[in-house]
Amino acid sequence: MDGWRQTINLVIAIADIGGTAVLIFALWANRFDLVLSELVIKNFAAIIGLPFSFIGAFVVVALFRQGADPIEFEGFGLHFKGASGELILWILCFIAISGAIRLLWRN
């Protein structure tokens, strides 16, 4: 069962990276379109940063999982175990990466 999980996680990660590559290629192919270029430059953190933070959070949760035991998370009076623990970890990673992009982004 763990082998299937690793294979599915790897396929999802490759699909995410491929989708981001297609996005970057589409932006590169339309780089001479002034309206699109201005939109991307103005909203770079949202258009490029958020997909990369999604992939980064997924990589942290799915691909770097080392133990065979389910992830457990306990905080704020709540206890999460198994898939819910991984979901909460993904949400926390996504919020942390997105928050760092927001914090470091100059307007």
Side-chain angles (χ1 to χ4, degrees):
M1 185 70 152
D2 200 36
W4 282 99
R5 180 186 178 111
Q6 288 177 345
T7 303
I8 291 171
N9 286 341
L10 186 60
V11 168
I12 292 171
I14 290 171
D16 287 342
I17 293 170
T20 305
V22 167
L23 174 67
I24 291 172
F25 176 76
L27 292 172
W28 180 258
N30 294 307
R31 68 187 179 277
F32 298 114
D33 182 1
L34 296 178
V35 175
L36 183 62
S37 296
E38 183 180 335
L39 179 71
V40 170
I41 289 170
K42 195 174 192 180
N43 300 305
F44 188 81
I47 294 172
I48 302 296
L50 287 179
F52 275 105
S53 53
F54 172 85
I55 292 170
F58 178 79
V59 167
V60 167
V61 174
L63 299 181
F64 290 159
R65 185 171 179 225
Q66 296 295 320
D69 297 333
I71 295 175
E72 294 186 30
F73 175 75
E74 187 171 346
F76 308 114
L78 302 171
H79 181 76
F80 300 99
K81 184 177 181 179
S84 63
E86 292 177 7
L87 179 64
I88 296 299
L89 180 61
W90 183 86
I91 290 171
L92 291 175
C93 289
F94 183 74
I95 289 172
I97 295 169
S98 300
I101 289 172
R102 172 75 173 119
L103 181 68
L104 298 174
W105 189 257
R106 285 193 237 165
N107 290 327

